[in-house]
Amino acid sequence: MLPWIRAARVPRTRSLLAALLLALTVLVAPTATASAAPAAEAATSRGWNDYSCKPSAAHPRPVVLVHGTFGNSIDNWLVLAPYLVNRGYCVFSLDYGQLPGVPFFHGLGPIDKSAEQLDVFVDKVLDATGAPKVDIVGHSQGGMMPNHYLKFLGGADKVNALVGIAPDNHGTTLLGLTELLPFFPGVEKFISDKTPGLADQIAGSPFITRLTAGGDTVPGVRYTVIATKYDQVVTPYRTQYLDGPNVRNVLLQDLCPLDFSEHVAIGTIDRIAFHEVANALDPARATPTTCASVIG
């Protein structure tokens, strides 16, 4: 449990605050299961984060996977990374937004600084593979944070496509729970000080306001957003959608009405969503995404 859950003083206030902050933690966090060194070895053994990989003519751009809040470069991608490797892609993933003394659970640092980490990582991948551009696939914060990289750090020159799986492109109300923050004096500042990556994602935050000013997209990049109407973290779910040229917004239930994936599942285990990711990465060879895509 993060230390800021103990911030409230009054018993009733403490219980309400705990409910809010536990929701922030439990609803967003994929399970972390391994130490960093064995995890890195596991990734390479499964075929991703292999810096000797050279992109093929069929898939000329490496894919950079960007985990979500409380995620990491391995646990978020135990299904999608091998899925893409098996389809002939060079796949890489990074850790970002680390806080001192908090292992495994990343994406908690200031998002503009996380975007700088992505900038460095993309350059590393391009240098290793010799490719002129990458494609980025991100889950949750990992689908939104690259927008800062594209808009403010020159990333548009190095990125062909951005695929966001349940991205909080315009922030989140977390089912309205963030609207309770003004009723707990000092708590919002406490969250901002201790876990700035969470504070940055609140709808209407200074970070989100700056990110969305002047439009959602930049020229030269293809955008895909894959959302689920059962998302309980990025709410309302339609705020995930982007507006602009070269944008495709996809609702998972329009592809398969029987898919009940919520925020975590859509980014970690949902093969129907992953089939649509593959379509977004290679639209020239796209095939229809249906409920049967789960066995693809």
Side-chain angles (χ1 to χ4, degrees):
M1 184 177 293
L2 294 177
W4 40 262
I5 288 179
R6 296 193 296 269
R9 303 295 186 197
V10 180
R12 182 173 180 272
T13 303
R14 183 168 58 246
S15 63
L16 290 172
L17 177 59
L20 170 63
L21 299 180
L22 281 171
L24 284 168
T25 303
V26 174
L27 291 179
V28 182
T31 302
T33 58
S35 63
E41 294 172 4
T44 302
S45 69
R46 289 171 179 261
W48 91 92
N49 285 335
D50 176 3
Y51 286 89
S52 67
C53 185
K54 298 301 180 183
S56 66
H59 301 302
R61 291 175 301 276
V63 178
V64 173
L65 302 178
V66 188
H67 65 75
T69 309
F70 292 105
N72 60 60
S73 61
I74 305 302
D75 293 321
N76 215 136
W77 307 120
L78 290 172
V79 179
L80 180 58
Y83 180 95
L84 294 175
V85 167
N86 291 340
R87 282 155 179 77
Y89 290 92
C90 293
V91 180
F92 302 87
S93 60
L94 77 156
D95 288 310
Y96 70 88
Q98 300 92 330
L99 291 181
V102 182
F104 313 134
F105 301 105
H106 304 317
L108 297 172
I111 296 181
D112 58 345
K113 300 301 181 184
S114 295
E116 292 175 8
Q117 291 179 271
L118 176 61
D119 185 12
V120 171
F121 188 79
V122 167
D123 285 348
K124 178 181 177 181
V125 169
L126 293 177
D127 288 344
T129 61
K133 290 187 176 185
V134 302
D135 290 327
I136 294 177
V137 179
H139 176 216
S140 192
Q141 181 189 163
M144 173 270 288
M145 176 268 279
N147 286 323
H148 183 93
Y149 167 58
L150 296 177
K151 294 183 78 171
F152 303 120
L153 301 178
D157 293 333
K158 304 172 187 177
V159 177
N160 170 70
L162 171 60
V163 183
I165 307 172
D168 50 342
N169 285 318
H170 299 95
T172 179
T173 67
L174 199 67
L175 294 175
L177 287 174
T178 59
E179 297 173 8
L180 296 176
L181 288 172
F183 296 97
F184 300 95
V187 171
E188 189 165 6
K189 182 179 184 303
F190 196 86
I191 294 174
S192 180
D193 291 344
K194 298 300 181 181
T195 53
L198 292 181
D200 283 346
Q201 294 178 76
I202 295 173
S205 72
F207 175 84
I208 292 295
T209 299
R210 178 170 183 258
L211 181 66
T212 56
D216 290 342
T217 64
V218 295
V221 179
R222 288 190 296 106
Y223 297 83
T224 302
V225 173
I226 305 172
T228 171
K229 68 180 182 180
Y230 300 111
D231 199 314
Q232 80 283 41
V233 173
V234 182
T235 58
Y237 76 84
R238 291 187 182 277
T239 61
Q240 299 173 26
Y241 294 160
L242 295 171
D243 183 29
N246 295 321
V247 171
R248 182 167 184 257
N249 295 311
V250 180
L251 183 64
L252 194 60
Q253 287 70 36
D254 287 341
L255 307 175
C256 175
L258 300 178
D259 194 321
F260 297 100
S261 287
E262 39 63 65
H263 183 79
V264 174
I266 190 178
T268 57
I269 62 172
D270 192 314
R271 293 176 70 90
I272 297 172
F274 296 164
H275 186 272
E276 194 60 21
V277 168
N279 282 346
L281 294 175
D282 191 0
R285 298 179 178 87
T287 58
T289 301
T290 67
C291 295
S293 299
V294 71
I295 60 176

